[in-house]
Amino acid sequence: MATGTAILEAFYQAAGQFVAANDLVKLTHASTEAIAGEIQELQQLGYSIESHPHFGYRLLDAPDRLTADDIKARTHTEVIGRKILVFEETASTNDIVEHMARSQAREGLVVFAESQTKGRGRHGRAWVSPRGKGLWFSVLLRPKFKPSAAPRITVAAGVAVAHAMRKTTGLDARIKWPNDVIVAGKKVAGILTELHAEGDEIIAAILGIGIDVNCRAEELPADIATSLQIETGKPQDRVALAAEVLAALDHFYRADFEAVVAEWARLSTTLGRQLIITMGARRIEGYAQALDGDGALLLRRDNGQLERILGGDVTVEK
Ligand code: BTN
């Protein structure tokens, strides 16, 4: 574990109390001088840390800034977040992960950006990613299942994001199939899964997630989008949410898919509803009956036939 991660983890465990310099030395196997240097670096990053000649150090406040050390200090995962990178600005985090996937990066890599200049959503739409206001990140997955089961990734990610949001904010976050997380009827997060497959094998799946955390209304597409700050009435801790989302992703990505579907059903705004789905020029209506084992939506048409739907824009009929 990196020294910065270990120090922050000790601070969070101490919950505002002093941590003796000696304890930090034992934890990190670094020298007292190296610890003092790390503390100074953290202070330069904006962490408010008090040092005391006898008691050691204590964390008074953490900045609203994403760092790999801080995210790692607040979560313990098996696969997701093995390696975390944070960029100040990038075109799209999905592109960075795609590039790294081609250079043999391991499953679980997560790339965050404080802002994106060319964030993209589904169907080639732009995704606004204002600096320091959200969580804009991508995860490299290398699942063993076939490309036809790729919708499972989006389903698991939706459940994970909704879970983490409910836990950190107490909001009633729900999932609108296939990829939106909704609060109070408006979109608060979106998921874009991009695949690189050869034949029957997924070489890499790039799971891109955008969460509107502290965006103001003027920064969001009018009427259809909202943010956690707007819905809770106060700024939210982005690092805490990032840590919760990675922990939830680690759990739901590796969980039995039946358990994921059960959780999805509990949080879904679409299941058991009459839907209108548009897929390009095609528009179909039907009753959302279930998800199948691949994560596709089974839609009962008016003529009684069951249709398997892989994607599209969904409107829930009143
Ligand atoms: C959608 O709802 O249309 C999907 C939005 C996905 C946005 C995220 S932000 C991080 C990652 N990088 C991108 O360019 N897009 C995804």
Side-chain angles (χ1 to χ4, degrees):
M1 187 190 288
T3 310
T5 309
I7 293 176
L8 285 171
E9 190 176 322
F11 283 155
Y12 290 126
Q13 270 170 13
Q17 301 300 308
F18 277 101
V19 182
N22 256 348
D23 289 346
L24 292 180
V25 167
K26 270 187 226 143
L27 267 171
T28 59
H29 308 291
S31 65
T32 320
E33 294 72 32
I35 299 284
E38 284 283 345
I39 296 277
Q40 220 170 33
E41 270 181 40
L42 288 169
Q43 286 168 327
Q44 273 155 13
L45 282 170
Y47 290 84
S48 170
I49 299 168
E50 183 185 346
S51 70
H52 187 281
H54 301 302
F55 301 148
Y57 302 100
R58 70 170 164 168
L59 179 66
L60 300 174
D61 203 10
D64 179 17
R65 180 181 192 136
L66 300 174
T67 67
D69 277 343
D70 205 343
I71 297 167
K72 284 197 163 192
R74 299 200 214 187
T75 191
H76 292 105
T77 55
E78 288 281 320
V79 174
I80 309 296
R82 272 178 180 145
K83 182 178 173 98
I84 298 178
L85 300 175
V86 181
F87 288 76
E88 264 309 294
E89 181 170 288
T90 180
S92 160
T93 53
N94 268 33
D95 292 343
I96 296 194
V97 169
E98 197 208 325
H99 188 81
M100 293 182 75
R102 287 182 199 282
S103 340
Q104 314 307 321
R106 277 179 88 193
E107 174 169 76
L109 163 74
V110 183
V111 173
F112 288 87
E114 286 289 17
S115 76
Q116 296 185 117
T117 51
K118 280 201 179 131
R120 60 177 179 272
R122 289 187 314 137
H123 310 305
R125 293 179 191 129
W127 181 265
V128 272
S129 321
R131 175 174 305 280
K133 295 299 181 76
L135 294 176
W136 328 122
F137 65 103
S138 304
V139 184
L140 172 59
L141 302 172
R142 297 194 188 272
K144 299 279 174 277
F145 47 71
K146 293 189 174 163
S148 56
R152 282 192 202 174
I153 297 172
T154 306
V155 171
V159 170
V161 171
H163 247 258
M165 254 180 211
R166 295 170 81 88
K167 187 167 172 194
T168 55
T169 65
L171 291 168
D172 183 23
R174 298 196 159 262
I175 308 161
K176 182 176 161 203
W177 189 87
N179 74 327
D180 295 352
V181 179
I182 304 283
V183 171
K186 290 187 177 179
K187 179 163 172 169
V188 72
I191 296 160
L192 174 71
T193 308
E194 295 177 323
L195 270 200
H196 173 203
E198 274 170 22
D200 250 2
E201 196 189 342
I202 296 180
I203 307 293
I206 293 121
L207 167 65
I209 300 181
I211 307 179
D212 297 330
V213 183
N214 292 327
C215 308
R216 285 174 285 116
E218 319 76 270
E219 292 169 315
L220 295 168
D223 302 329
I224 52 163
T226 189
S227 74
L228 298 176
Q229 170 164 343
I230 295 171
E231 296 304 324
T232 55
K234 50 179 192 277
Q236 296 297 313
D237 182 338
R238 290 184 307 136
V239 182
L241 179 63
E244 284 297 343
V245 173
L246 297 193
L249 266 177
D250 195 58
H251 174 77
F252 287 108
Y253 172 61
R254 296 183 304 123
D256 184 35
F257 191 60
E258 270 180 33
V260 179
V261 170
E263 197 48 22
W264 176 85
R266 196 174 73 83
L267 299 176
S268 170
T269 61
T270 23
L271 188 67
R273 305 292 297 271
Q274 193 67 20
L275 307 180
I276 302 170
I277 302 181
T278 42
M279 294 171 283
R282 187 161 180 240
R283 180 183 188 278
I284 56 172
E285 282 188 42
Y287 173 82
Q289 186 150 322
L291 285 192
D292 72 6
D294 287 341
L297 183 68
L298 298 177
L299 196 73
R300 175 79 59 193
R301 306 293 306 278
D302 287 349
N303 61 12
Q305 272 179 1
L306 209 52
E307 192 159 336
R308 195 171 171 270
I309 314 283
L310 287 166
D313 282 324
V314 174
T315 310
V316 180
E317 284 193 77
K318 297 278 173 242

